Amino acid sequence: MSNSTMTTTTTTTMGKIIWPPDSVRGMRDLNRDLFRRIVRIPFVVTDINNIDTVGQLLRPYFLKINQFKPIQEYESSSSNEKRKIFLNPDHSELFESLISDLIEHQFLCRLTKTTEEFIGHEEIELKYEHFNHLTIFRSIFDHNNESSDNSNPDFSLSGFSTIGHIIHLNLRENLLPYKKLIGQVLLDKIKGCRLVVNKIDIIDTKYRNFAMETLASDDDPSVTTVVDTTECNVRFRFDFADVYWNPRLSHERTLILKKLNREIDHVYDVFAGVGPFAVTAAKLRKCQCLANDLNPASYRWLKENVQLNKVEHLVRCFNQDGREFIRNQVKEDLIKQIQSFDGKAEDSDQLWKLASENLGHTISSDNIEELHEVRKVAPNKLMYRLSFRIDKNILYGRTFNNDSDD
């Protein structure tokens, strides 16, 4: 990379005031002290009675950094309570005209009685704690970016997956020299993160898991790769190092789940993993499920998640090769389900009882003329025609003595 290119990139980035100092560029070992920087921040003062109006108008230009309140109390000798609003100096060209309007309409206070100043400045020290992970990564990696729009994919950090307390990365080769720094920054900045790992190999094992390395971790020795997480408000527990879990597939699973009819659909999950589809189908859609996975670790956690969600009566778990599972368990269950929905009527006594209950009078077997299946409304919902002779009890809606023809 030429020096001229580096100079151009530096100038573009350093045009921002609320930004880490140039000394962090290219950093590979995290040094939090190098993020310190003294900056001059503009502020305005308003009476507390006007804070809602002024705040709403100036909100897009607030100084928004971590661990800093843009609205603070203002020390004043006046008896009226006032508030100080800090603004982002990188947006000064945008809020200058707005401030002029606020001054004209007397929504802002003069800083002192002896001057006409309405905009003050205060020096604050920006620190590592004030920057989020995206700002930190851009400030470090942008020195490699040959395009002024920061769009070089080789040095941009792709998205990461969060699984319980674990952040899972799949770093490009160009970012591997920064991997320990990346892990530590994410550990510092992402709430709930206690372990950061990076995939170091493709998924080509028999059990669909992959090798990974630890980039950063809490000092607590109790932190392991066993995680507790939720998907669709269903709880799951598993060892992330031993099973396959991809939270980015949750949307696809949800689309299929919405299509399930709890009354008639049965789920056969050939590669169930730890149960994100089968357990959720049982928990939320009340479907009967056969769930299988070849990986013994996945099978173990699958059974635990079935118990965890109390769906043992709906999910049967198997630890077989997928082909054998289809040839045996799926085949047998399909035959069973087909036979149970083959259109044969329920026993006559049950149908007569149902018809009698709806009529409010007993239909005797002697009066039955015909019981005929009309059609299938659904695979497990049949329509019947029951033809019977109407006796006096049914016709007049009351009981008659057998000796009377009245």
Side-chain angles (χ1 to χ4, degrees):
M1 184 181 294
S2 66
N3 291 332
S4 60
T5 302
M6 290 186 65
T7 302
T8 301
T9 303
T10 300
T11 302
T12 301
T13 305
M14 288 305 293
K16 299 181 69 172
I17 297 173
I18 307 303
W19 197 258
D22 199 37
S23 57
V24 305
R25 297 178 182 280
M27 178 189 295
R28 296 192 179 185
D29 296 318
L30 182 60
N31 185 339
R32 297 175 181 83
D33 289 336
L34 290 183
F35 286 84
R36 294 178 178 271
R37 180 182 184 186
I38 303 296
V39 293
R40 196 164 177 257
I41 305 299
F43 68 86
V44 294
V45 176
T46 186
D47 188 271
I48 194 170
N49 295 325
N50 296 324
I51 189 64
D52 290 340
T53 301
V54 175
Q56 183 177 1
L57 292 171
L58 290 178
R59 189 171 302 279
Y61 314 110
F62 280 7
L63 178 62
K64 299 174 183 177
I65 56 176
N66 294 340
Q67 301 185 21
F68 184 87
K69 295 181 178 180
I71 300 179
Q72 301 181 15
E73 291 185 0
Y74 179 68
E75 296 181 2
S76 174
S77 58
S78 172
S79 59
N80 294 331
E81 193 173 354
K82 294 180 173 61
R83 291 292 183 267
K84 179 165 53 176
I85 301 176
F86 286 94
L87 304 172
N88 190 328
D90 292 320
H91 298 158
S92 59
E93 294 182 359
L94 300 175
F95 63 66
E96 283 178 353
S97 61
L98 179 57
I99 287 181
S100 298
D101 292 339
L102 291 172
I103 294 173
E104 182 179 350
H105 290 85
Q106 300 182 346
F107 281 112
L108 298 183
C109 304
R110 287 188 299 172
L111 299 184
T112 65
K113 294 182 179 180
T114 58
T115 70
E116 294 296 326
E117 294 181 0
F118 288 86
I119 300 180
H121 291 83
E122 184 173 317
E123 288 189 344
I124 68 171
E125 183 181 32
L126 296 179
K127 303 177 182 178
Y128 174 78
E129 290 78 10
H130 291 132
F131 302 110
N132 62 35
H133 67 283
L134 294 174
T135 298
I136 290 173
F137 291 146
R138 284 190 58 194
S139 66
I140 292 173
F141 302 146
D142 275 357
H143 79 292
N144 292 293
N145 197 337
E146 297 182 2
S147 60
S148 59
D149 63 354
N150 300 321
S151 61
N152 187 343
D154 289 338
F155 286 93
S156 63
L157 181 65
S158 59
F160 52 80
S161 298
T162 302
I163 307 99
H165 62 273
I166 297 177
I167 284 182
H168 170 228
L169 295 164
N170 187 7
L171 293 178
R172 298 185 179 92
E173 185 176 352
N174 294 39
L175 289 177
L176 291 179
Y178 304 92
K179 63 184 181 181
K180 293 296 184 181
L181 176 143
I182 291 171
Q184 189 60 54
V185 171
L186 292 175
L187 188 67
D188 291 342
K189 298 296 181 178
I190 305 300
K191 185 178 180 180
C193 174
R194 305 190 68 189
L195 177 65
V196 183
V197 299
N198 180 48
K199 185 171 78 171
I200 59 176
D201 202 356
I202 61 174
I203 300 177
D204 61 357
T205 64
K206 180 180 180 180
Y207 296 140
R208 297 286 295 164
N209 52 4
F210 52 83
M212 60 186 182
E213 61 179 337
T214 297
L215 302 185
S217 176
D218 275 358
D219 293 332
D220 187 347
S222 66
V223 176
T224 68
T225 51
V226 176
V227 299
D228 286 274
T229 189
T230 60
E231 184 174 295
C232 298
N233 295 320
V234 178
R235 296 173 58 198
F236 294 95
R237 181 179 298 134
F238 51 87
D239 191 333
F240 184 63
D242 294 335
V243 305
Y244 178 80
W245 176 275
N246 189 345
R248 297 183 182 183
L249 296 177
S250 63
H251 178 67
E252 297 300 321
R253 288 191 281 263
T254 301
L255 291 178
I256 300 175
L257 285 167
K258 289 180 179 179
K259 297 178 181 294
L260 294 179
N261 184 332
R262 69 186 65 193
E263 300 295 335
I264 61 175
D265 286 334
H266 288 245
V267 173
Y268 303 109
D269 197 343
V270 184
F271 311 106
V274 300
F277 183 73
V279 174
T280 305
K283 180 83 171 181
L284 302 184
R285 308 300 293 170
K286 310 303 180 186
C287 291
Q288 294 282 343
C289 304
L290 301 188
N292 174 76
D293 203 274
L294 180 63
N295 184 349
S298 295
Y299 173 66
R300 172 205 163 189
W301 293 107
L302 170 63
K303 292 193 297 182
E304 180 160 335
N305 289 321
V306 167
Q307 295 176 353
L308 184 65
N309 288 280
K310 298 182 167 86
V311 290
E312 301 96 323
H313 61 297
L314 294 174
V315 183
R316 294 166 57 198
C317 303
F318 300 88
N319 179 212
Q320 299 178 3
D321 178 85
R323 289 166 294 192
E324 295 303 312
F325 174 68
I326 294 173
R327 290 168 179 163
N328 296 307
Q329 274 67 38
V330 173
K331 176 184 176 181
E332 291 176 5
D333 197 73
L334 276 173
I335 294 173
K336 175 184 174 183
Q337 301 306 326
I338 291 171
Q339 289 175 343
S340 65
F341 299 139
D342 63 356
K344 293 182 180 179
E346 301 178 56
D347 63 88
S348 299
D349 289 338
Q350 288 296 105
L351 289 173
W352 296 341
K353 180 180 179 182
L354 183 62
S356 298
E357 289 175 352
N358 280 275
L359 285 171
H361 289 275
T362 301
I363 302 173
S364 68
S365 58
D366 295 337
N367 288 332
I368 298 295
E369 293 288 334
E370 183 183 16
L371 178 61
H372 173 69
E373 178 186 329
V374 178
R375 66 187 179 94
K376 290 184 179 180
V377 179
N380 70 336
K381 187 174 183 181
L382 304 178
M383 179 183 291
Y384 293 93
R385 184 182 75 245
L386 179 64
S387 302
F388 57 92
R389 292 188 300 274
I390 301 177
D391 62 18
K392 290 184 294 185
N393 291 343
I394 297 176
L395 182 63
Y396 293 103
R398 52 196 172 98
T399 304
F400 294 88
N401 294 326
N402 293 333
D403 296 333
S404 174
D405 290 329
D406 293 340

